Amino acid sequence: MTMRMPTLRPFGEGSTGGEEIDICTCSIRRGSGHGHTYLSASPSKKSVRRLKMNVRRLLAYGNHAPWDEVFEELNRVLYGSSNYFGYGTRSQMFRAVDHFVYELVRDFLARSHKVAGRGTRRFSLEVVYGNLGLTRLERLPCRAPPCA
């Protein structure tokens, strides 16, 4: 089995930013800022979509499991994804995933507690991420970069 590696054009004065390639679980992008061209890596859209599908599966409408079981599994998935996406710029993705998880958790808790409406007053951000102890990816400490 052979693997073809995607190639980028050589950096030069005529290169423009915004080019992107996906390798495994991260997107490598060429950007330009402050007059210099650089490479940056971030989680790929496909891997973020897979994470959201896992969260959606845990908090689905048909899931009538107690909150403690769902909470443990959800925290395990979130911690695992923070380690999985440990390379590159990830704060924007973590913020988006945190918002997505909050919306689904709030809906899940409002359904299971039979709260009228969307449950935004009873299950605010402070309650979900504070009192209930759900993992917030955006607030996890960054690991040290690997040494070469």
Side-chain angles (χ1 to χ4, degrees):
M1 178 167 94
T2 60
M3 185 172 160
R4 265 183 90 187
M5 294 300 292
T7 58
L8 287 175
R9 287 185 293 138
F11 294 125
E13 293 179 17
S15 65
T16 59
E19 295 179 34
E20 182 175 316
I21 57 172
D22 286 334
I23 300 175
C24 296
T25 61
C26 68
S27 295
I28 309 265
R29 164 177 320 108
R30 180 180 12 191
S32 58
H34 305 292
H36 301 293
T37 304
Y38 62 92
L39 285 177
S40 69
S42 63
S44 70
K45 292 176 185 176
K46 185 177 179 180
S47 56
V48 173
R49 192 175 331 123
R50 193 177 314 125
L51 169 62
K52 287 182 176 183
M53 280 177 32
N54 286 338
V55 170
R56 194 177 288 124
R57 179 185 49 80
L58 284 172
L59 300 169
Y61 285 105
N63 186 0
H64 299 292
W67 169 245
D68 294 336
E69 292 176 16
V70 174
F71 166 77
E72 287 177 14
E73 182 66 24
L74 186 58
N75 267 349
R76 189 176 8 253
V77 167
L78 293 174
Y79 271 118
S81 65
S82 75
N83 291 329
Y84 187 72
F85 296 122
Y87 177 72
T89 54
R90 56 198 187 165
S91 60
Q92 185 178 9
M93 185 273 300
F94 278 0
R95 194 175 309 120
V97 169
D98 280 342
H99 179 72
F100 178 79
V101 168
Y102 167 68
E103 295 283 329
L104 290 182
V105 165
R106 189 193 65 215
D107 292 345
F108 178 84
L109 292 171
R111 266 194 326 271
S112 62
H113 289 278
K114 295 182 172 58
V115 174
R118 295 173 53 201
T120 52
R121 286 191 184 139
R122 184 164 177 192
F123 302 110
S124 64
L125 270 170
E126 292 79 23
V127 171
V128 170
Y129 287 116
N131 299 348
L132 297 178
L134 191 65
T135 301
R136 192 168 190 173
L137 295 176
E138 196 176 7
R139 304 289 163 97
L140 289 176
C142 291
R143 294 184 310 175
C147 297

